[in-house]
Amino acid sequence: MEFKIRKIKEEDKKEILSMMEEFYSSDAVYTNGGREIFENDFEQCINNSPYLEGYVFENDRKILGYGMIAKSFSTEFGKHCIWFEDIYIKAEFRGQGIIPKYIKFIEKAYSEAVFRLEAEEDNARAIYVYKKAGFETLPYMEMIKR
């Protein structure tokens, strides 16, 4: 499938927030998020945050999905770290090679970085795509404090 990847724009807000609500209410995500979080994420993407970037996958002005990356530094690997945060493809466009092309796009843009992502253990389809793109499972757990 032919499509382009571009930065999220203000005029994408309604559709992006709708996709975020669907994504975060699915089994693919552990947390539920919420409207306030989604709006803050969106604002960070369009206001040049140094930590978060958002992208749209588009074909003939039709949005197929979106992705967000978060930037940090990994002392474990001694270089910048790019986290693939949200990767969401609308149901009718899944399985058409969008995610691998997006991963390559980000890898090219941040060629000196280490790349990380999280996936729900029972999301076999996503894990298959990520492993095919070269990601490996890490042998430790992640923890959080809120």
Side-chain angles (χ1 to χ4, degrees), residues 70-89:
K71 303 173 191 178
S72 66
F73 189 88
S74 173
T75 59
E76 182 178 358
F77 297 101
K79 54 178 148 180
H80 289 99
C81 181
I82 300 297
W83 281 88
F84 285 93
E85 290 288 338
D86 297 14
I87 303 177
Y88 177 83
I89 308 298

Side-chain angles (χ1 to χ4, degrees), residues 41-93:
D41 291 351
F42 183 85
E43 292 301 316
Q44 295 297 309
C45 288
I46 64 167
N47 288 315
N48 299 315
S49 167
Y51 306 108
L52 187 66
E53 291 180 9
Y55 296 90
V56 163
F57 318 127
E58 185 177 65
N59 179 318
D60 197 25
R61 296 188 183 159
K62 181 176 182 127
I63 294 178
L64 314 174
Y66 78 97
M68 291 183 184
I69 60 167
K71 303 173 191 178
S72 66
F73 189 88
S74 173
T75 59
E76 182 178 358
F77 297 101
K79 54 178 148 180
H80 289 99
C81 181
I82 300 297
W83 281 88
F84 285 93
E85 290 288 338
D86 297 14
I87 303 177
Y88 177 83
I89 308 298
K90 291 180 179 176
E92 64 267 30
F93 303 111

Side-chain angles (χ1 to χ4, degrees), residues 81-144:
C81 181
I82 300 297
W83 281 88
F84 285 93
E85 290 288 338
D86 297 14
I87 303 177
Y88 177 83
I89 308 298
K90 291 180 179 176
E92 64 267 30
F93 303 111
R94 293 177 188 156
Q96 297 186 39
I98 295 171
I99 292 174
K101 287 180 185 175
Y102 171 58
I103 290 171
K104 286 182 182 177
F105 174 86
I106 297 299
E107 288 175 337
K108 185 177 178 184
Y110 296 96
S111 60
E112 299 299 315
V114 62
F115 301 95
R116 297 184 76 164
L117 56 75
E118 298 172 346
E120 288 296 311
E121 288 185 48
D122 61 350
N123 192 347
R125 187 174 182 173
I127 291 168
Y128 172 80
V129 171
Y130 302 146
K131 284 185 175 181
K132 194 171 178 183
F135 285 86
E136 302 170 17
T137 303
L138 292 172
Y140 50 82
M141 82 170 123
E142 183 172 343
M143 300 173 77
I144 189 170

